[in-house]
Amino acid sequence: MAQWLQMAQILPTQPDEVSSLYTLNTLPIEVRHYAAAWIESQRWEDFALEKLEQESQAQVLLDQIINVLQLLAQQNTNVVDRMKLMQISRNMSMFQQQPLQFAVIVRDILRREKVLITRVSDTDFMAFACGPEDKNQQDVDHLELKVLEVQEIRKQMHQLQEELNWERQNHESLQQGGTHTRTLQKHIQQLEFKVNTMSTNHFQLLKDCVDCLDCCQTGFISKLKAWRCEQHKAAIGLPFDDNLNPLQTWCEQLLAMNGKLRQELMLIGDQTLDLQERLRQLLQTVIESSLVVDKQPPQVIKTQSKFSTTVRYLLGEKVAPGKPVVLKAQIVNELQARNLGGMLGENVAELINNSAILEHNTTSKSTCATFRNMSIKKIKRADRKGTESVTEEKFALLFSTEINITGCDTPYRIQMISQPVVVIVHGSQDNSAVATIIWDCAFSEPDRVPFMVPERVSWRMMYNTLNSKFTSEVQTKHNLDQYHQHFLAQKIFNNCVDDFSNMMVSWFQFNKEVLPGRTFTFWQWFEGVIELTKKHLRTYWSEGLIFGFIGKQHLHLILQNSPNGTFLLRFSDSEIGGITIAYVSATENGGQKIQNIQPFTKRDLEIRSLGDRICDIDDIMYLYPACPKHEVFKKYYSEPQVPTTAGYIPVSLQTKVGM
């Protein structure tokens, strides 16, 4: 959690001997983070001046931090920053005679920082806290730093071993000549101790790196699954960021770190077989997990109709050059989707244009295979049980290929499955097929068995889904309110209770059973409202001019004390995709009654708009509660028709109520 070099500005003045450490604050944040992460990754807490046996370990750490700073200097393209880093590394050399003192000073700095952090208020602490994306990047940066340290230790070990071999040879020569040098022997022992210590640290650090890589890769797989889940939920209108570039960068970094670690392990030999096997498994996982359906196929597909989809490979820049990579697509049913690791059996569909080449786009740095003109010629369906219909049967597209990655000896068989799709043969099946998809997208669990969904869900989940679907399709920010929710609950449950919060909605209630006294299901009616609103009523709804979802009982309750001519707009309860005007009118004996004008459908509003129809009807004057209609709807009225130059008398359509 501590980032001591970045927080140096709030620390008290430190001893002069380590002032050079704090000049790191003048460097770019990437350099500071890199160096700070390396320092924090070491074990400083155990160092003490009285523990003289720790001097060799402290010397190793001092040499390593100097090497890290020098390496950062070499890699830095900014001349000023490079000079600062070189100056800092030279200043560190003053501790070469007292490495243990250096380790203790760093230990004390870290201790003081921890005390300061505990004093920071929650608000101040949040300024230093990072979001999940930053945390992921920090984990990868930390891993890269540890791998860099492994490489540096290995180079130092090689140099020390060469020096040790040379001194041993000198020692043997002196002994053969009859001369015995205690100083040389002591130096050889010191070198042997350093080599052994560094070898132990090197191997432990390698294990730590593999653990860290495993952790980072687990985070990557988890994030990729979350991306796919959000993509799935986007079908019901939930927000979704489809940008795959951050995941691609993360994936490429994991592959690169895996390759560097495998090289380091090969240089050590057979004692790392367990670590080599872990890296091999991690490598296979990241390669096989990097195929993503970037643009999903339509989730309702009509046979003999064209459709498209795009598959992206996140490690596209690492694909070995040579033979082009061709992806194949096939349709799989629910049983086959559950057995992707085994034999799929016969094809359940004849899929036209089912292959595409993986191509790299240098501008977007993405590698994709686009299936542009796919078509399902025919489909073989499973045996249906009970009341199941063809619009409830789910399929999916399975994409697969064999791929070679640069630096890997063997090809990998990779595959990825699309979201569930429903295949129809006629447009009349579209509504029910969409219902199947809505239920699947809204209520399926992550990591489910394909394509399992619950038979019942809570009313709250159902209402949230209806609201998301309605607002996203209509493209409005005007959400359904508590009155709308209550009406929809009464409609789907056919119940007039006041509290629906603990009730469960079944798939049958959603789109299998027809509503009482009607010839259509709840979903068929609700989708009709969506279609009408998004095509003809979007602005009216967004401005709050349509009451919309209200039952006749509630309607009479709110209009009963209103003056004659007061009206409101509500969706028809008896007709799919209709909007009606309910208004207060006078009776023959001087009383009042609530009238409902015949619903206007999509076809009616294509002929004459809702605004013009409201203007036409003289019996309605005030939009509930008391807004003069000509003030509210004037902007929706059509301009008067201009006479033609041909001498014809103009005609116009007008809405009449009653005979």
Side-chain angles (χ1 to χ4, degrees):
M1 178 171 60
Q3 295 181 1
W4 67 299
L5 292 177
Q6 296 183 37
M7 294 180 62
Q9 63 271 22
I10 68 168
L11 293 173
T13 303
Q14 301 298 328
D16 293 338
E17 290 87 347
V18 291
S19 60
S20 60
L21 288 175
Y22 290 92
T23 62
L24 281 171
N25 256 357
T26 65
L27 295 169
I29 190 169
E30 295 85 356
V31 175
R32 288 182 293 167
H33 172 69
Y34 210 55
W38 186 91
I39 291 171
E40 287 187 347
S41 68
Q42 307 305 317
R43 300 176 178 87
W44 303 94
E45 191 60 34
D46 295 335
F47 282 108
L49 287 175
E50 62 273 14
K51 296 181 179 179
L52 298 178
E53 68 276 8
Q54 294 178 327
E55 189 168 85
S56 296
Q57 184 182 354
Q59 181 68 55
V60 170
L61 289 174
L62 176 60
D63 292 342
Q64 287 176 10
I65 193 172
I66 292 173
N67 288 333
V68 167
L69 291 171
Q70 290 174 347
L71 187 62
L72 287 173
Q74 294 170 8
Q75 295 177 348
N76 202 303
T77 57
N78 186 293
V79 176
V80 176
D81 293 339
R82 187 162 62 245
M83 295 300 294
K84 287 180 182 178
L85 284 164
M86 292 304 296
Q87 181 62 41
I88 293 169
S89 65
R90 283 193 292 271
N91 291 344
M92 291 281 189
S93 300
M94 71 175 67
F95 288 105
Q96 289 291 2
Q97 302 303 319
Q98 296 175 310
L100 195 55
Q101 182 183 358
F102 165 79
V104 170
I105 289 174
V106 175
R107 178 203 67 187
D108 292 342
I109 292 173
L110 292 173
R111 283 178 178 176
R112 296 186 68 179
E113 181 198 295
K114 289 179 181 178
V115 173
L116 284 171
I117 289 176
T118 59
R119 297 174 185 170
V120 178
S121 66
D122 291 342
T123 303
D124 293 334
F125 175 75
M126 289 307 294
F128 295 104
C130 57
E133 298 297 333
D134 294 332
K135 178 63 168 60
N136 293 333
Q137 188 57 52
Q138 287 181 7
D139 289 343
V140 175
D141 289 345
H142 183 67
L143 172 61
E144 289 183 336
L145 196 59
K146 291 174 79 71
V147 172
L148 179 64
E149 185 184 354
V150 166
Q151 293 172 330
E152 285 304 304
I153 292 177
R154 188 244 307 153
K155 293 176 183 177
Q156 291 178 33
M157 286 172 57
H158 182 72
Q159 293 172 356
L160 279 175
Q161 188 63 53
E162 287 182 338
E163 183 181 354
L164 178 59
N165 293 340
W166 174 259
E167 297 295 356
R168 282 173 175 169
Q169 182 178 341
N170 287 341
H171 186 254
E172 290 176 0
S173 300
L174 290 173
Q175 284 183 329
Q176 290 174 1
T179 307
H180 182 71
T181 307
R182 288 186 177 181
T183 303
L184 182 57
Q185 189 174 9
K186 184 177 180 181
H187 182 55
I188 291 173
Q189 290 174 348
Q190 290 176 341
L191 287 175
E192 289 174 341
F193 180 79
K194 279 188 176 182
V195 169
N196 291 334
T197 301
M198 291 182 72
S199 177
T200 302
N201 291 342
H202 183 252
F203 186 72
Q204 181 59 47
L205 190 57
L206 269 172
K207 291 175 65 177
D208 292 345
C209 284
V210 176
D211 291 339
C212 187
L213 177 64
D214 197 342
C215 182
C216 288
Q217 191 161 305
T218 299
F220 165 74
I221 300 297
S222 177
K223 187 65 177 178
L224 190 57
K225 286 182 179 179
W227 186 92
R228 291 191 181 110
C229 184
E230 289 173 7
Q231 184 189 47
H232 194 41
K233 300 291 185 184
I236 58 171
L238 294 184
F240 169 57
D241 181 5
D242 63 355
N243 183 17
L244 279 168
N245 291 338
L247 282 170
Q248 176 170 310
T249 300
W250 192 356
C251 186
E252 290 170 344
Q253 289 175 312
L254 293 175
L255 182 69
M257 292 303 101
N258 192 301
K260 290 179 180 179
L261 288 173
R262 281 184 289 122
Q263 288 179 351
E264 292 298 320
L265 290 176
M266 284 189 288
L267 291 172
I268 294 178
D270 293 341
Q271 66 266 37
T272 63
L273 290 178
D274 290 344
L275 292 181
Q276 290 183 38
E277 176 59 22
R278 282 186 65 191
L279 284 177
R280 187 197 65 77
Q281 292 176 358
L282 289 171
L283 176 67
Q284 181 175 347
T285 299
V286 76
I287 289 175
E288 293 177 351
S289 301
S290 300
L291 192 64
V292 182
V293 184
D294 190 6
K295 306 297 180 186
Q296 291 283 342
Q299 290 194 265
V300 177
I301 302 175
K302 185 174 177 290
T303 56
Q304 311 293 337
S305 298
K306 290 182 181 180
F307 65 93
S308 63
T309 184
T310 302
V311 180
R312 179 169 172 175
Y313 191 56
L314 300 182
L315 293 174
E317 291 190 343
K318 310 301 178 183
V319 174
K323 185 179 178 182
V325 178
V326 179
L327 265 79
K328 294 284 187 179
Q330 68 181 104
I331 298 285
V332 294
N333 59 25
E334 188 168 327
L335 184 62
Q336 291 173 324
R338 297 179 186 182
N339 189 37
L340 292 182
M343 297 295 293
L344 294 180
E346 64 176 331
N347 288 335
V348 298
E350 186 176 344
L351 192 59
I352 309 300
N353 297 324
N354 67 331
S355 63
I357 297 174
L358 204 59
E359 298 176 306
H360 183 69
N361 185 316
T362 53
T363 303
S364 63
K365 295 184 178 180
S366 61
T367 304
C368 300
T370 301
F371 299 79
R372 292 181 176 83
N373 295 297
M374 300 180 80
S375 177
I376 299 176
K377 188 174 181 180
K378 59 182 180 180
I379 191 85
K380 181 180 180 181
R381 300 188 181 275
D383 295 333
R384 292 186 293 278
K385 301 176 182 178
T387 60
E388 288 180 349
S389 67
V390 295
T391 58
E392 295 176 74
E393 186 177 6
K394 287 176 278 190
F395 298 88
L397 270 70
L398 178 65
F399 304 94
S400 59
T401 189
E402 191 173 84
I403 201 162
N404 288 278
I405 299 295
T406 302
C408 300
D409 298 331
T410 58
Y412 291 87
R413 184 73 182 172
I414 60 175
Q415 61 183 19
M416 180 49 59
I417 194 169
S418 75
Q419 294 172 2
V421 301
V422 175
V423 180
I424 62 175
V425 296
H426 194 274
S428 61
Q429 299 171 318
D430 184 76
N431 182 279
S432 293
V434 170
T436 299
I437 294 302
I438 294 295
W439 191 276
D440 187 275
C441 292
F443 309 126
S444 59
E445 296 290 336
D447 297 323
R448 62 171 173 176
V449 175
F451 301 110
M452 295 292 292
V453 289
E455 280 295 321
R456 294 176 178 274
V457 297
S458 69
W459 165 244
R460 180 175 295 279
M461 292 176 65
M462 172 57 71
Y463 168 69
N464 289 338
T465 298
L466 296 175
N467 182 55
S468 296
K469 185 64 177 175
F470 182 89
T471 53
S472 64
E473 287 286 337
V474 175
Q475 295 182 358
T476 179
K477 295 180 180 179
H478 186 55
N479 290 293
L480 306 183
D481 60 27
Q482 58 181 348
Y483 300 107
H484 301 145
Q485 179 181 184
H486 193 74
F487 168 75
L488 293 171
Q490 287 182 329
K491 192 170 187 68
I492 201 169
F493 290 116
N494 189 29
N495 196 319
C496 294
V497 300
D498 293 329
D499 185 10
F500 295 93
S501 58
N502 295 322
M503 297 184 70
M504 303 290 286
V505 182
S506 70
W507 163 248
F508 269 70
Q509 289 170 310
F510 180 65
N511 194 52
K512 290 290 285 184
E513 298 172 342
V514 297
L515 296 171
R518 310 297 183 206
T519 59
F520 46 81
T521 66
F522 174 85
W523 170 251
Q524 289 171 334
W525 172 81
F526 189 78
E527 191 192 44
V529 171
I530 292 176
E531 287 297 307
L532 179 73
T533 307
K534 76 178 182 180
K535 291 182 178 177
H536 297 285
L537 307 174
R538 176 186 290 114
T539 52
Y540 300 90
W541 173 268
S542 297
E543 293 185 11
L545 304 180
I546 297 176
F547 207 102
F549 302 100
I550 181 173
K552 289 185 178 179
Q553 183 179 358
H554 188 201
L555 174 70
H556 282 74
L557 186 64
I558 66 173
L559 288 180
Q560 62 183 356
N561 296 321
S562 300
N564 293 343
T566 303
F567 71 99
L568 57 77
L569 300 164
R570 72 179 188 89
F571 297 121
S572 172
D573 200 29
S574 59
E575 187 166 347
I576 294 178
I579 188 168
T580 184
I581 300 174
Y583 69 101
V584 181
S585 67
T587 61
E588 294 178 356
N589 58 8
Q592 287 184 323
K593 62 180 178 180
I594 308 297
Q595 302 270 50
N596 286 276
I597 297 174
Q598 178 178 321
F600 303 119
T601 63
K602 181 173 64 174
R603 183 178 179 184
D604 296 324
L605 298 180
E606 286 171 351
I607 297 171
R608 189 158 178 78
S609 72
L610 179 64
D612 287 337
R613 291 182 182 276
I614 290 172
C615 180
D616 292 341
I617 303 172
D618 295 331
D619 293 336
I620 58 175
M621 294 173 284
Y622 307 101
L623 180 67
Y624 179 83
C627 302
K629 74 173 184 181
H630 293 308
E631 292 182 10
V632 176
F633 292 96
K634 184 178 181 180
K635 65 180 179 180
Y636 296 106
Y637 298 164
S638 299
E639 294 292 330
Q641 195 170 1
V642 179
T644 63
T645 57
Y648 292 112
I649 300 173
V651 296
S652 63
L653 297 174
Q654 197 170 29
T655 305
K656 289 290 185 180
V657 176
M659 297 299 294

